[in-house]
Amino acid sequence: MTMDMVKELRALIGETAVLDAADVATRSAGAMRPDNLQGAALARPASTAEVAAVLGWCNAHNVAVVPVGGLTGLVHGADGSADTLMLSMERMNRIEAIDSRQRCATVQSGVVLQTLQEAVEAEGLIFPLDLGARGSATVGGNAATNAGGNRVIRYGMMRNMVLGLEAVLADGTVVSSLNNLIKNNAGYDLKQLFIGSEGTLGVITRLNLRLWEAPTTRNMALLGLEDFASVTALLKRMDRDLGGTLSAYEVMWQDFYRLVTTEPAAGRPPIAQDYPYYVLLESQGADPEGDSDRFAAALESAMEAGLVVDGALSQSESDCERFWGLRDDVEQVFRDGYPVVFDVSLPIAEMEGYVAGLRTALAEQVPGHHLLVFGHLGDGNLHVIVQVPHDQGTALRPVVERIVYAPLAAFKGSVSAEHGIGLEKQPWIGISRGAEELALMRTLKGALDPRNILNPGKVLPPAP
């Protein structure tokens, strides 16, 4: 079947558009990307019509399809197998239009996030979604996983930035909700079916994305705080005092800050490494003189109130990039052990107790571990990384997963804040979704993909 598949798909979309299994095996997702990149073939359609042709053929022949974007996911959402067709949007990478008056962009789903950011910035606009993998992640993948990133506190998740989209269903039907309206209450909002569905309900091919006017000022500070009560109080104070310009509120626990500011890491500590918590604060506005004064005054007030004990204030754009570089240097977690990576969401008031509970349980059950915590605390998202000895990673993973996920049930937390479910978090989705919700998800999956060819086995656990 494999040779027949390659031959027939090449007849549909072109000789060079379909790679065989040997070519698929040469592709690497990188050290931080765990996907198992197996596949009988990899199809690279160049248009929506070609995507429809490929899916129609696969549906008729009952061939499983795994859509892939920039391969920057962390939950095995793009795992394939020897009889799977991998479907890449890499050739659908055109920015079709940027409308500065309507403040929107029409793009194909294979456009790389950073490419879009740079293109709209040239028009005096921004697409505010931003994350460490911006140079590889695609906007279609961002939509399929409902990506979050660094500025959710101000602009929301990817879901908030999609005005409309076009998707192809499992049988090759093209569904277009490709409008550019912020307000559109004409019946069901069908685009939301595909945003965050991880390619299990349809393949996103084109999007209309909302843009914003580019801010003309950016002020940042890296701050040292003595306790978690100060962390939460500072968030509320800065959100109020900055008058709606707060764009990021990132927190690093001490162990993570030390990791990314100690050789061989490239970063150097802007402030001492001795504080329990570090806050990365960013404000974006449009009043060069007034914004800087307001930012400095807000920080001075916070220091006078005893919330902040040390800090470094950005003096230039390069300082801002250096501060963000520390927060984004996540690959340092490979230095001292095998990292088990988590992405959870919970009420801010519960975070201190939650992390304390993790420390206690890990100390009792996982000898030789190292706990690293950081994240987008302003929107309730923590990244938890548990380093364990390299030779014990596989054996200890189930123990660590139970320690990290089980406590979330008590306060209705989420096992996935922004990374998705994929295969990795599928056994734990019941902590965050009730039986009725899972049943409705299965109903949607059965209606849109009755032969279960689209990313089968991902997101939803088997029915009880």
Side-chain angles (χ1 to χ4, degrees):
M1 179 65 177
T2 299
M3 292 307 297
D4 289 344
M5 179 196 303
V6 171
K7 181 179 179 181
E8 294 192 31
L9 289 176
R10 283 176 173 169
L12 283 176
I13 64 173
E15 284 288 323
T16 61
V18 183
L19 308 182
D20 62 21
D23 290 317
V24 176
T26 65
R27 296 191 167 213
S28 171
M32 284 289 289
R33 319 301 170 203
D35 300 297
N36 179 12
L37 298 179
Q38 290 189 62
L42 184 142
R44 304 182 303 144
S47 67
T48 300
E50 290 187 357
V51 174
V54 169
L55 289 184
W57 186 93
C58 290
N59 193 60
H61 293 83
N62 203 28
V63 172
V65 180
V66 176
V68 297
L71 294 172
T72 62
L74 294 171
V75 293
H76 291 275
D79 273 19
S81 63
D83 56 358
T84 296
L85 175 69
M86 311 297 282
L87 181 64
S88 172
M89 299 291 106
E90 63 194 60
R91 295 174 67 212
M92 294 188 63
N93 58 8
R94 287 196 305 113
I95 298 173
E96 297 180 355
I98 297 173
D99 186 337
S100 57
R101 182 168 56 181
Q102 187 71 14
R103 289 184 295 185
C104 67
T106 304
V107 303
Q108 295 180 331
S109 61
V111 170
V112 172
L113 174 58
Q114 186 172 338
T115 301
L116 175 63
Q117 291 173 333
E118 292 172 353
V120 302
E121 284 169 11
E123 302 291 330
L125 301 166
I126 60 166
F127 182 65
L129 181 75
D130 194 40
L131 34 86
R134 64 186 69 83
S136 303
T138 64
V139 293
N142 294 150
T145 57
N146 188 31
N150 300 333
R151 297 190 175 97
V152 171
I153 190 172
R154 180 164 177 179
Y155 297 102
M157 303 278 281
M158 181 69 171
R159 187 180 302 281
N160 299 80
M161 305 176 196
V162 179
L163 296 172
L165 61 75
E166 174 186 85
V168 182
L169 303 183
D171 65 358
T173 300
V174 178
V175 177
S176 181
S177 294
L178 201 63
N179 69 78
N180 60 8
L181 304 176
I182 294 175
K183 289 185 172 182
N184 184 358
N185 272 344
Y188 304 142
D189 192 357
L190 296 178
K191 68 177 182 291
Q192 300 296 348
L193 287 173
F194 306 102
I195 300 172
S197 69
E198 301 182 43
T200 60
L201 299 181
V203 176
I204 297 171
T205 50
R206 296 164 68 218
L207 305 101
N208 264 342
L209 300 173
R210 186 179 179 186
L211 308 176
W212 280 257
E213 297 296 329
T216 56
T217 67
R218 176 159 72 153
N219 292 282
M220 290 189 70
L222 182 66
L223 309 172
L225 286 73
E226 289 285 7
D227 52 54
F228 194 76
S230 297
V231 172
T232 58
L234 181 65
L235 169 61
K236 185 173 179 61
R237 175 184 285 259
M238 298 305 288
D239 202 12
R240 179 196 68 202
D241 291 355
L242 293 177
T245 65
L246 180 65
S247 54
Y249 193 88
E250 302 284 312
V251 177
M252 296 173 277
W253 271 242
Q254 185 186 67
D255 283 352
F256 181 80
Y257 180 76
R258 284 182 172 174
L259 180 73
V260 298
T261 56
T262 302
E263 291 183 347
R268 294 294 171 264
I271 59 176
Q273 297 176 317
D274 303 326
Y275 305 110
Y277 302 96
Y278 294 82
V279 169
L280 184 64
L281 191 70
E282 180 188 73
S283 173
Q284 295 178 320
D287 178 4
E289 184 173 339
D291 289 341
S292 295
D293 291 345
R294 185 182 302 110
F295 191 78
L299 285 179
E300 183 177 357
S301 174
M303 295 189 81
E304 290 174 352
L307 300 178
V308 177
V309 293
D310 196 5
L313 187 65
S314 65
Q315 302 298 320
S316 65
E317 192 64 19
S318 62
D319 284 345
C320 295
E321 296 303 323
R322 186 161 59 95
F323 289 167
W324 273 118
L326 298 177
R327 163 60 182 79
D328 288 342
D329 195 12
V330 181
E331 295 199 2
Q332 295 300 321
V333 302
F334 284 92
R335 268 169 41 190
D336 303 315
Y338 174 93
V340 188
V341 179
F342 300 92
D343 157 57
V344 300
S345 187
L346 64 157
I348 294 174
E350 306 288 353
M351 287 181 176
E352 184 180 23
Y354 172 73
V355 174
L358 293 184
R359 292 193 191 281
T360 299
L362 289 167
E364 293 172 350
Q365 301 177 50
V366 186
H369 79 278
H370 190 192
L371 176 64
L372 302 163
V373 184
F374 61 100
H376 318 293
L377 185 136
D379 47 67
N381 177 191
L382 290 184
H383 297 305
V384 175
I385 298 177
V386 182
Q387 290 178 324
V388 298
H390 282 291
D391 59 351
Q392 299 178 47
T394 302
L396 288 174
R397 175 180 280 276
V399 178
V400 174
E401 287 182 341
R402 184 179 66 253
I403 290 171
V404 172
Y405 288 139
L408 296 171
F411 32 79
K412 295 183 171 63
S414 176
V415 299
S416 179
E418 61 181 359
H419 289 173
I421 297 296
L423 285 176
E424 188 171 290
K425 301 188 180 190
Q426 184 196 80
W428 302 97
I429 193 173
I431 286 177
S432 306
R433 294 295 190 185
E436 296 80 9
E437 290 177 295
L438 292 172
L440 180 55
M441 291 182 195
R442 292 188 185 98
T443 298
L444 289 170
K445 173 69 170 173
L448 296 179
D449 182 18
R451 303 198 72 176
N452 192 30
I453 70 160
L454 290 178
N455 221 2
K458 311 294 170 46
V459 182
L460 286 170

